[in-house]
Structure formats: C-alpha cells, structure tokens
Amino acid sequence: MAVQVDTLTSANGLISLLDEDERELQYYGLTQLNSVTDRFWAEISDSISKIEILYEDESFQHRKLAALVASKIYFHLGEFDDALTFALGADDLFNLAETSAYVQTVINHAIDKYIELRSLSAEDKVSPVDARLEAVVERMFARCFETKDYGQVVGISIEARRLDVLERALTSGDTRSLLEYVQKDCVALINSIHVQAQVQELLVKVHLQFDSPDYEAVCLCLSKLNNPQKTAEILKLLVKDGESDVAKLLSAYQIAFDLEANATQEFTRAVIAEISPSNEAAEADEKDDVTPTARIKSILSGDETLKLHLEFLFRNNKTDMKILDRTCKVLDSRLSLSHNAVTFANAFMHAGTTVDNFLRDNLEWLSRASSWSKFTATAALGVIHHGQVKHGMTLLQPYLPEDNTSTSPFSEGGAFFALGLIHACHGSDKVLKYLQDALVTYQGQNVEILHHGACLGLGAAGMGSGSEEIAQALMNVLYSDSAVSGEAAAIGLGLVMMGTKHESALNDMLQYAKETEHEKIIRALSVGMGLVMFGRKQEADGFVARLIEEEDPLLRLGAVHAITMAYCGTGDNSAIRKLLHLAVSDVKDDVRRAAVTGLGFILLRSPEQVPRMVQLLSQSYNPHVRVGAAVALGIACAGTGSKAAVEILEPMLKDSVDFVVEGASIALAFILIQQNDTFEPKVADVKKRYCEILDNKHGEGVSRFGAAISQGIIDAGGRNVTIGLTTSDKQLNAPACAGMLLFLQFWYWFPLAHFLTLSFKPTALIAINKDLKAPNIEVTCASRKALYSYPPEIEQIVSQAPTKVATAVLSTTARARRTARKSTDETETDAGVEKKSTGDDGEKMETDNNAKEQADEGSMDVDEDNGSGADPKSQKKSRKPANETSFTVTNLARVLPYQEKYVKWSANSRYVPVKQGRASGVLLVKDTTPDAPEDLIVSMLQEGPDDDEESAADADADELQPPEPFEYPFDSDRA
C-alpha cells in the first residue's frame, strides 16, 4: 500500500472515501490522507469541512485521527491556532517525539499559548488553562526530563510560572551551573516583579540546601528581595567562621564589595544598620582596632571601593592635554556654548582622576565664564573629584557660601551641585544634612540659583535612598513654583525615590505637572516620574497608560521615560512596540526623539539587535528621529566598538542638521570609548572628523559643541573608564542608567550633562588581600598587547626655524656662464682640469634642485635611526616581535571589557582570587603563603585629614595634604 501512496498524483480518490457510509472506509481514507498531507495539503484543504465533521461526530471511533489530519492541514495553511486546537483533540496521536516541522511548530505554539494563559490566569483575567493544553505541556516536560534537557525546562517553567517544575529541574541536573544560569541569564528577563521575587526566593532555598552554599549568589538574591536582615546574618556568620578560616572572611569581604556595586544605597545602609554593634563599647573597639565588621561596614558604605578607584584612575591617568589645549584655542570662549563645551570636555577627560591642572593653567579662559557658565564650570569640580568623599567639603570650601551669606550665587550653586556629584550614591548623613539645610537657610533674590544646585546635589548624593525626609524637602522647593529651582527639585525627587514606585510621590508629581505653567518643571517632572518607575516592569504599565492619554506632549514624554526606565535592560517586546509606535505616530518631536532613544536603554543587553532595528529610523526625514536613532545606537553599543553601529553613524557626521551631527558624534564616542587604532581602525577617522568639525570656524555651534564633548567622552577618566550600564556581575547598574538619562537632558539644560560621570565605570583589575591592601600581582593576557594599549597622544605642532632655500639658476644664465668660462679656459692645456671645470658648471642646476630632496632623505634616515648611530639591523633585533601572543598585566592596571576573556591567573601564583570567572573590578585574593612577607603597592594618592573637624584637628602636621584648592577667577556677582 505504501508503494501505491508514493505513486499517487492526486488525493481526490482518498478524499472520496470520507463520503462513504462504512466507518472502516472512512478510517482507511483518513489513514492514507494522514500520510500524504505534506504533498496534497492544498487539495485536501478544500474538503477540510468533511474531516471536521468526522472529528465532531462523537460516535466515530477514530475521531482523534480526524483531528490530527485537520491539524496538519491548518498547519500548512498557516492557521496555527486552529492547528493547535485540533492537535489537542488528537490527544496521544500527536507524537511529541517527532522532529517534523509540524510537530515542532505546534509544540512551540502550544507553549506560547500556555505561557500566555498562565500569565493571564495569575492576574485573574481569564479562566484556568485548558486541561488538554496543560497535558501536552506536561508531556513535553516529561520528555525533557527523560532527555536531561534541563535548560529548556528552566526557561519554559519560569515563563509559565511553574515554580514546582523549576525546582525539580534545578535539583535534577547540575544544580550549581543551573542556578548560575537562572541568576545571570533568566531573572532579569522576567517581566513581573512578583514572579521575579518568587524565583529569587526559590534560588535562595535551593542554594541553602548545599553543605557549602554559594553565599555570594545568595546575598545577590537577597538584595533583589530587599532582605537586609538575612544578608546581615550571612555576613556575620562568615565573619565568625573567618576567625578559623581566612577564606570565609575573604568571601564576606567579596560579598560586601559586590553588594556595594549591585544593590541600592537604601539596601546597603540597612545592612550596615543590621551588622552594627549593639553597644557603644563594641563600637569604640571597632574605631581603635580595624575589625572585620568595621571593614565590612566601610566596604558597604562605598569608602573602600571609591578609594581603590581613585588610586587606579590617578595612577593610570593618560589624559592628552594637547587635545584640550587645542580645543580651547579653536573655540571662542566668549560664547557660553563654546565655554561649556570645553568645561565638559575637561571634566569628562579628568573624571575621577582628581587632576584639575587644566583649570589652574587656564585661569584667563576660566574668568570669561558668566552666569550659568560659572555654575557649570564650578560643578565640573564634582566630576573631576568624583569619589573624594573624605575631602569633598574641604576641596569645595572656597566656593561654598560662608556664614550663610551668598555673594556669588552661580559659583556657589555650582559648588552645591559639585558636592553632590562627589558624593553621588554615597552621601553621608553630614553631606545630606548640609545640602538639605541649604534649601531652607538661604533666602533672597538669588535663592533659586542656590536651590537649583542644592537640589541637584541632594538628588545625586541621596540617589536611591528612598528618604521620605529628603523627598519632602524637595517637594517644598517644587511647590514654590520657581522654574529654575522647581526643575532641579523635580529631578532630585526622582533620583531620591528612584525605583521605589512610591505611589504618593508619583501622584503628587503628576498632579503638580498638570497644575504648573512652567514648561521646565513639567519636563523635569516627566524625567523624575520615569526615574521613580525604574526597574518596575509591568507594574508601570497602568501609570504609563494614564500618561499616554494626556493631551500635554510633555506628559506623554513622561510616559516614554517611564517605559524606558521601567523596562531598562529587559529587551521586553511589548515595551519596544510601544516606543516604536510613539516614535512614528506622535505629533511632538521631543516625544518621538525620546521614544527612539529609549530603544537603546531597553536593548542594552542585546546590542547586536539595535543596528538592524534603527537602521531605517536613522534615515528618517525627521531629524529628531535620526538623532534619536544615533543616540540609541550609542547607548546600546557603548564600549563595544560595534562595526554595524559605526557604519550607520559615520554618514550622520555629515548630516545637514547640526544637532544630528552632535548626536552622531556623541554616539560614536560612546561606542569607540577605550578603543585604539589597532583594535578598531575607524577610531582614527572619527577623531580626525572631530578635529575637522572643530576647526571649521564657520560651522554650526551645536555641531562643534558635540565634537568637543565627544573628545572628552572618548578619552574619559584619563582613558581608563568605559560606559558601564551594567556591573561587573552583569547586573543592571541603576545609577549609571539614571546618569545616562539625565545626561541626555543637556538638550534642554547644559549643567545636567555632568551626570554622565555616574555612567563611567573604571576598567581595572584591582586585587586586594585580607587587609584590603593591593599586593604586587601579575596575571597573563593571552592576546596581543597592541590591541589593548592606550591610544598615542596627538602630535605637537612645533614651529621650525626657516631653512635656507637652494638658489635656482636659469638655463640661459647657466649657458652664458659656460660660454664665458669656455673662452677663458681655452688657454688651459690640462684637459683634466678643463673637464672638471665644465662638469661642475653643468651639474650646478641639478645640485641646486636636488638639495632639498637630499636633505629630506637625510632627515628620514635620522628619524628611522631615532637619532642614534646604531646599526639598523641591531635595532630590528631589539624590537618586540609583532606576533607576540601574550603579555603580563599588573595589579591596578587597565583591563578592557573585551580583554577579560583572555586574562588568566597563573597556576603557580601566590595569590588566588576568591571569586572565579571574573578578571576585572575589585577582587579579593587569598595568599597561599601567608607567612612570607608581602610586596604591597604604595599608594600614589596624597592622604590628608577628612572633612570631620575632630579628625582634622588631631591630624599630624607633617601629614600629606589633599590637593590645594584654588579660587575660580570669578567676580562676586548677583544674578
């Protein structure tokens, strides 16, 4: 019979059997049709109703077979819902083990449908899932367990909210690797905060079933669950066990560093409060003796991390000052736009390095700042000294108001902002109290300028703290209805309540946005509301729906910011669809630009998808959409050197619209940061284009501004930082994302560009021992050193002394001279002398003409010999081989993100990292020979008294002091 089926040219004969009255003939017809559906599905589809009738006939014994045939026909017709419905009716005849396209497609559709129904069922929106569908999924789970395909079970069970199946999968396979997979690759993609918390709780439960749990992973889960009590218990347990096992103590330190990098300020403060000693005597002992508990508190507060980062950035500072000097000369500093451009370029280039030599050496340029340019220039100190939490007040003392009296409001307001940037995300109680008092202490004509700086500083220092007291102080300033101070208060409020989804704060902000008439305040509130919704995912959908329906375009802009921040880094399809819809349909250019830019935030974990998604948008007729596409590429592909992104952005540097050129310049700086010409040849072309834009004196000011700050970004932090929107543990870096969003608001208000410093992440290998000191360590990088070296500095143009030019002799003159000499020399009898004389004259013209060429050849030889008389062959031998395959990396050295996978610890190394699988960031190392003396790295930073008056009074007079503060050459002014 099989032979006859294979030779069929039509299925009409088999279809006619379905019209017979005999059940056996109908069964035979269905059996044969089932085997030929792939060939004759188009012909059979005309009679699909006959097959459906047989399936609906409950007296027909083989109705399941009819369902299977109907399912296959609908599959070929592309009607997957109907194909799934009939496949469920086929019951056990639907073979899950079959590898055909039909079976795989229906199974995938069944899983998608099951996940959708489970999600809606959990939200009480639909009735329970069809039992037949659940049976198919259960059979699929059973088959995966049989084949030990636990990864597939994990993914489906998480999406379908089947935590029972997830737990079974975690405990059935390689539990530790599966736990790591879920934590790193799955949890962040869960759209529901509630389900995400349930999965985190399950991970903690499974982790703690081991005899030696991975406490680092457990504490990371607890930080997401906002459980500081349990986290503190684990740290105390490790400290106690560390008395007999130093590895446990090192693990406690490593956990503290990771929590400081990944958790919010509110959480770390709660952990510190939990582990703090309960009596004053114990607290006094901690101050006298550096105990493990005191060190953990210092780590959690951020003091140790900031100190190590400052050491790294200061030690490895490779800023090319000639770039800044050149930019300063070509831009007219009398224009505030140009002055701000140089200010930002300098601040970014020296971010966190504590090096402010450019400001000290260019006081005349600095004195040309006026009004808000003064504010921006003073605030730049906060970027340069970012992390100097111990000396922040001392450094800014010359610019802060004295005796509660304001004499220069712009520079003093900028100093408040700078103080907040120095203490960003690590605001001490003293600093927060000082800035909070500034909101009520100063009154008068220029109070709004001081309040503007204090609100921005308070938001930066108290970011993510969730402090109700600070929020209320900012609300009071907001309600004053001043456009200047109200704008900063709205942004500060969003920063302080970031990620909390504080209902009262959101309602108050939305209500005031509808009442006020100041556009600056409404726009700032739209940003602030987006920050409050950071990371809330589906919980933000209701609030977003309210904002999208508003007639005011600035409130719709708030909806875009809310979507962007709520789904940041998730790659959520529904959020992408909403943003794309707004990008092409909204009537307001600001909304469209922000919507396209938001795609970069949402897809920052999948940068390879963004170039393809925004390629058409980058060619839009609307310049606002084009610049949004450019910035989206820069955000998503930051630090990757993506060739696809660069290919899209390069033509945009020659766009006819100035702000598109500006956006493309900044985006390219994001992408090519820390890239050199060897790794990415396009770097040289892009930097050359920046110079061309700046050198064009008749070019648009906005384009030149973008090129100037792009030069600062691409060499940021002394060429030792990258744009880090994720942490070293691949977790979302909330302060960095907030800093990037606020940086983009420089479109409306230049001082907000300083917030970009929050997005800078030092790319360092920082290994420290149990005493939190950095020993001299060398690790191996199995790759070419040229790929990761610092870019060369630009060549200094040196004026050369004028050289004597060879005299040109006309041919007629030379001929006349030869004739005269020939007649004079006829009496000569020595033919040799005569020949020599005429030869010299004949070659004079050639000698004169070749004089410069010979000189150039000689100078080229000198360059190749480097000014030495060594044999070129010996020099070639002394050069390093071009095909070197490895080199050593020392402690506190730069390790680029794309370099990490090649960095390996030596097998016979004295120090072994506590945390495996990571080659950057702060790493605790165990000393395998603790009795031997250690070779420690001596700090290059100057240590001095901190801002505490008591400790400053007790400091030794011979102790090295922090960098000398200097007075900005600003005259006291009134706004």
Side-chain angles (χ1 to χ4, degrees), residues 532-737:
V532 176
M533 281 296 185
F534 180 84
R536 306 308 297 187
K537 301 180 183 178
Q538 288 183 346
E539 293 184 1
D541 289 349
F543 187 72
V544 168
R546 290 170 57 191
L547 293 179
I548 288 180
E549 299 300 326
E550 294 289 342
E551 294 182 1
D552 189 345
L554 294 180
L555 292 180
R556 296 200 302 276
L557 182 63
V560 172
H561 292 320
I563 295 172
T564 300
M565 291 289 98
Y567 289 95
C568 185
T570 63
D572 184 76
N573 289 329
S574 63
I576 293 173
R577 283 194 295 269
K578 290 177 183 177
L579 291 181
L580 286 175
H581 175 71
L582 290 169
V584 298
S585 64
D586 201 278
V587 297
K588 185 69 173 178
D589 285 335
D590 287 354
V591 177
R592 301 180 71 176
R593 182 182 65 252
V596 180
T597 302
L599 296 174
F601 283 98
I602 294 178
L603 292 171
L604 64 87
R605 295 180 190 268
S606 306
E608 67 282 351
Q609 298 182 19
V610 182
R612 178 171 51 85
M613 181 174 293
V614 304
Q615 185 170 15
L616 291 178
L617 294 174
S618 68
Q619 301 170 6
S620 170
Y621 73 92
N622 189 324
H624 292 269
V625 174
R626 296 202 300 274
V627 72
V631 176
L633 282 170
I635 294 170
C637 303
T640 64
S642 170
K643 295 183 183 298
V646 173
E647 185 178 349
I648 295 174
L649 290 170
E650 267 195 309
M652 300 177 74
L653 289 176
K654 299 180 180 180
D655 198 279
S656 59
V657 180
D658 53 359
F659 60 77
V660 176
V661 176
E662 176 191 56
S665 299
I666 294 172
L668 282 168
F670 287 162
I671 294 171
L672 298 177
I673 189 172
Q674 289 198 316
Q675 313 275 332
N676 61 22
D677 298 348
T678 306
F679 187 84
E680 176 49 68
K682 289 289 186 181
V683 173
D685 297 337
V686 171
K687 289 184 176 180
K688 181 180 178 181
R689 181 58 184 161
Y690 289 161
C691 294
E692 292 175 353
I693 295 173
L694 287 170
D695 291 340
N696 183 10
K697 295 183 179 180
H698 302 290
E700 296 290 346
V702 172
S703 300
R704 302 179 79 194
F705 174 86
I709 66 173
S710 297
Q711 286 184 330
I713 294 171
I714 204 169
D715 289 338
R719 297 178 171 176
N720 291 299
V721 300
T722 188
I723 304 295
L725 301 183
T726 57
T727 66
S728 298
D729 292 319
K730 309 305 179 186
Q731 301 296 313
L732 205 60
N733 189 343
C737 295

Side-chain angles (χ1 to χ4, degrees), residues 906-946:
S906 302
N908 57 351
S909 175
R910 173 178 175 178
Y911 298 93
V912 179
V914 172
K915 188 169 188 174
Q916 301 294 332
R918 206 175 79 187
S920 67
V922 181
L923 296 173
L924 271 294
V925 291
K926 181 180 179 181
D927 189 356
T928 57
T929 57
D931 297 331
E934 289 188 281
D935 181 16
L936 301 177
I937 296 176
V938 179
S939 174
M940 296 179 65
L941 282 175
Q942 294 180 338
E943 292 291 340
D946 57 22

Side-chain angles (χ1 to χ4, degrees), residues 331-334 339 363-370 373 969-970:
L331 294 180
D332 186 357
S333 59
R334 292 172 298 179
H339 200 284
L363 295 178
E364 181 183 356
W365 164 83
L366 199 58
S367 64
R368 296 174 185 172
S370 61
S373 293
F970 297 152

